[in-house]
Amino acid sequence: SQSDIAAFSPDGRFVSFRTFASNLGGVGLPSRVFVRDRVAGTTTPVPFPSVNGSSANGCRESDVSNAGTVVMMCFFPTVQDQIFLHIPGAAGTPFLISSDAVDTAGNQASGPEVAIDAAGLSMSFASRATNLVPNDTNAAADIFILAEEAVLDGLFADGFE
């Protein structure tokens, strides 16, 4: 089966990639993101996210930090493409980061461009959504940069420790 769209962590330990393979613990279709730990010799699937009760149809673009934290773009049958953050060992599904201040998913597609820094504390993505920040009326894609204070503190408050 096809595997593609790989990204290496800055230190080279982790590789995130998209695959359609069913022999890695996935189901073949739809595509999903996996993380290979080149030191431990393990390959683990990133859990499928959901938005408003709708599960992802698949995931593709991703980036990975030195800690194995993954930021990825996933697509859905009922909502636009969205961006998620997955922290290894964290309970629950990946955390939606292409959302507004009250956790409403972007009203237009986000991605496919995604990036995360080496420490896994800052990430960026592109989005055409107009509801992520107030008064976004330029009808153009924007780049969003989320830092630890804006995202990770909220994760820990929501029980993602």
Side-chain angles (χ1 to χ4, degrees):
S1 279
Q2 174 181 331
S3 294
D4 57 14
I5 312 178
F8 278 88
S9 62
D11 66 3
R13 175 176 178 172
F14 296 99
V15 182
S16 65
F17 62 96
R18 175 181 76 162
T19 188
F20 295 90
S22 58
N23 64 336
L24 295 176
V27 293
L29 291 174
S31 64
R32 71 184 304 168
V33 172
F34 280 74
V35 175
R36 173 77 177 166
D37 183 333
R38 298 174 65 220
V39 173
T42 58
T43 303
T44 55
V46 174
F48 267 128
S50 63
V51 172
N52 301 331
S54 177
S55 293
N57 273 4
C59 299
R60 56 177 186 234
E61 307 294 335
S62 66
D63 197 12
V64 62
S65 73
N66 285 342
T69 301
V70 175
V71 61
M72 64 184 178
M73 193 231 35
C74 297
F75 40 98
F76 293 83
T78 58
V79 295
Q80 298 286 334
D81 298 350
Q82 300 295 324
I83 309 298
F84 294 86
L85 177 68
H86 171 67
I87 300 172
T93 62
F95 178 74
L96 176 68
I97 61 173
S98 56
S99 61
D100 65 12
V102 294
D103 294 329
T104 301
N107 60 3
Q108 293 186 41
S110 293
E113 299 83 3
V114 295
I116 192 166
D117 74 341
L121 300 177
S122 296
M123 58 237 46
S124 65
F125 63 93
S127 181
R128 297 193 66 77
T130 59
N131 66 323
L132 301 185
V133 294
N135 303 315
D136 184 356
T137 59
N138 65 358
D142 299 299
I143 301 297
F144 291 87
I145 300 170
L146 301 155
E148 176 183 11
E149 297 81 22
V151 176
L152 297 182
D153 287 346
L155 283 176
F156 297 133
D158 290 339
F160 281 87
E161 293 184 286

